Amino acid sequence: MSYISSRLSVVRPSASMAASQAAKALRAKGVDVIDLGLGEPDFPTPAHIIEAAYAAAKAGQTLYTAAAGSPEVREAVAGKFRRENGLDYTADDIVVANGAKQIIFNALMATLEPGDEAILPAPYFVSYPEMVKLLGGTPVTVECRESGGFRLTPELLEKAIGPRTKWLFLNMPGNPSGAVYSADDLKALGAVLARHPQVLILSDEIYEHIIFDNREFVSFGKACPDLKDRSLIVNGVAKAYAMTGWRVGYAAGPAPLVKAMSIIQSQSVTSVCSIAQAATVAALNGPQDEVARFRDAFEARRNLVVDGIRRINGLTLPPPEGAFYAYIGCASLIGRRTPKGVMLEDDTAVATYLLNEGRVASVPGTAYGLSPYFRISTATSEEVLAEAIARINAAVAQVE
Ligand SMILES: Cc1ncc(COP(=O)(O)O)c(C=O)c1O
């Protein structure tokens, strides 16, 4: 008899973690595998942020803080939203959690009733549907085609909204597609949402600073101020400041929602690590030149990958507009056979083939709700990326 709750029966473990595990298992057998499964910046956290954490620990900032975050960190987040996004929030409208993931988890826990629906434009971040299901909701996948830049359109949104819709998730730049929405794109979605007052909007803007070709980032909150009382603007320090392991995410939203999320926080984790909060204050208020340096490095890698993948017969890759992934189309490989005679039935088979024969770990598109694709992370050095592309090329060339 299993003692694991039925709640868990619907939840899948993270596909990107699974790809990484498979790569590690092969490596343990002595196989030289390039792991492009997991996405996190490969740069060290900027030194001034680490110094601020050290200083905070030495100065005795080692106690629990308020559940929603220390007054200093919430002030710093409110300042960031004002300065960088033109959003008018006070510290009371802010909640800080252990990563953007916990922010999203808390928001869903605070709002979902069994059977409530969350609209997820696909391809989506792998954790969204699993969190929705874990908390009793129903994910509603809306496939957003490559031909439309992987963006949700007002027509698709209108069709997806029903009486049980509780949330619309937006993610820009998007993981895995890199899609960015312009102010006009967002206003057009906002016009649909204005007709459906029961829908809350979660805008995950964690890749805000990793945006290419001189594109301007526009927060959903800036484009649709009339929807402020039902928008949750989610962000964090993980991607912009190379701080994935510090575990700090934050959000601004309507007071009742932020308060409910803080209550969950107080009864679960109490608060985010006080030292990581001090580091976040330094990240948000300190010099931003490293953020720009990281962005430039990610853009150079994006260029290298787009150029390399486009030379491979059978793969497609529209240039990602932001974030650090390439969502590579592999439709023309489906139905063909590997040199060992294995039929590539779907993108999972393609990713498995690339791992076993190409020695490159990627994540199949099925994990992101839109097939046939596979995702590679471009958050690694140009040499490693060039070698990975050469391996993918060699493997794809052998498909019959
Ligand atoms: C779209 C998106 N949101 C949130 C996260 C997680 O952010 P955090 O590390 O702050 O929990 C990720 C991480 O991969 C992501 O891709």
Side-chain angles (χ1 to χ4, degrees):
M1 195 180 74
S2 171
Y3 49 79
I4 304 299
S5 77
S6 55
R7 200 181 297 129
L8 261 294
S9 65
V10 290
V11 178
R12 293 182 298 179
S14 158
S16 39
M17 300 282 265
S20 238
Q21 289 305 327
K24 279 202 184 88
L26 273 183
R27 267 199 199 135
K29 287 191 205 154
V31 182
D32 155 39
V33 175
I34 298 178
D35 182 2
L36 301 182
L38 268 185
E40 56 182 336
D42 54 330
F43 305 110
T45 301
H48 71 276
I49 298 174
I50 295 176
E51 291 301 332
Y54 183 51
K58 284 220 297 191
Q61 286 184 39
T62 49
L63 305 173
Y64 298 132
T65 71
S70 69
E72 293 79 16
V73 78
R74 279 181 288 145
E75 209 47 75
V77 171
K80 172 259 178 302
F81 278 130
R82 223 176 0 260
R83 217 171 35 246
E84 297 185 349
N85 305 112
L87 302 180
D88 188 22
Y89 287 106
T90 69
D92 289 342
D93 305 320
I94 307 293
V95 57
V96 178
N98 291 282
K101 274 171 106 166
Q102 196 188 22
I103 289 281
I104 298 167
F105 193 90
N106 289 349
L108 293 173
M109 181 174 260
T111 53
L112 286 182
E113 300 290 355
D116 278 353
E117 294 174 356
I119 296 175
L120 308 179
Y124 46 62
F125 174 41
V126 289
S127 294
Y128 295 158
E130 307 311 316
M131 288 199 210
V132 169
K133 287 186 284 179
L134 188 54
L135 294 163
T138 305
V140 174
T141 300
V142 179
E143 293 192 355
C144 302
R145 301 268 156 213
E146 182 179 324
S147 55
F150 297 112
R151 275 180 283 274
L152 180 68
T153 62
E155 296 73 30
L156 287 170
L157 175 60
E158 184 73 68
K159 257 203 335 223
I161 295 176
R164 294 305 307 269
T165 306
K166 185 62 121 336
W167 283 98
L168 164 67
F169 276 53
L170 291 174
N171 173 213
M172 57 215 187
N175 170 10
S177 71
V180 172
Y181 289 72
S182 68
D184 285 346
D185 292 333
L186 295 174
K187 284 183 181 143
L189 296 176
V192 175
L193 292 161
R195 296 197 286 274
H196 300 278
Q198 85 279 17
V199 182
L200 299 163
I201 302 100
L202 188 152
S203 186
D204 181 344
E205 305 182 355
I206 196 149
Y207 294 100
E208 162 185 14
H209 289 293
I210 305 167
I211 187 165
F212 308 138
D213 310 311
N214 297 314
R215 268 186 191 79
E216 185 200 3
F217 177 80
V218 183
S219 169
F220 181 81
K222 176 77 178 165
C224 300
D226 294 351
L227 300 175
K228 185 177 181 186
D229 63 350
R230 48 191 172 108
S231 300
L232 187 70
I233 310 298
V234 178
N235 210 318
V237 292
K239 316 289 178 178
Y241 300 96
M243 291 176 69
T244 48
W246 296 75
R247 309 308 304 129
V248 184
Y250 51 82
L257 178 57
V258 162
K259 184 164 173 233
M261 290 165 67
S262 305
I263 292 171
I264 294 169
Q265 186 97 331
S266 75
Q267 295 295 15
S268 52
V269 295
T270 301
S271 70
V272 173
C273 162
S274 57
I275 297 158
Q277 291 189 51
T280 298
V281 173
L284 297 177
N285 290 346
Q288 302 294 306
D289 30 327
E290 298 265 324
V291 176
R293 197 172 63 77
F294 297 161
R295 195 207 64 82
D296 290 347
F298 286 128
E299 183 159 347
R301 293 163 175 186
R302 188 277 315 249
N303 293 345
L304 182 151
V305 168
V306 168
D307 190 53
I309 295 295
R310 283 187 158 180
R311 289 169 198 270
I312 302 177
N313 236 335
L315 299 181
T316 59
L317 177 61
E321 298 164 348
F324 39 67
Y325 308 99
Y327 202 51
I328 301 171
C330 56
S332 76
L333 298 182
I334 306 301
R336 289 164 63 190
R337 285 187 189 277
T338 71
K340 289 186 178 154
V342 177
M343 168 81 85
L344 296 174
E345 283 180 347
D346 51 23
D347 53 23
T348 302
V350 171
T352 304
Y353 171 64
L354 291 178
L355 177 63
N356 292 331
E357 306 302 326
R359 292 169 294 119
V360 176
S362 63
V363 186
T366 179
Y368 306 98
L370 189 72
S371 291
Y373 291 86
F374 62 93
R375 187 196 81 169
I376 60 169
S377 160
T378 57
T380 188
S381 72
E382 294 190 21
E383 294 89 73
V384 172
L385 288 172
E387 171 62 19
I389 290 166
R391 291 184 185 191
I392 294 171
N393 189 12
V396 169
Q398 288 183 56
V399 173
E400 286 153 15

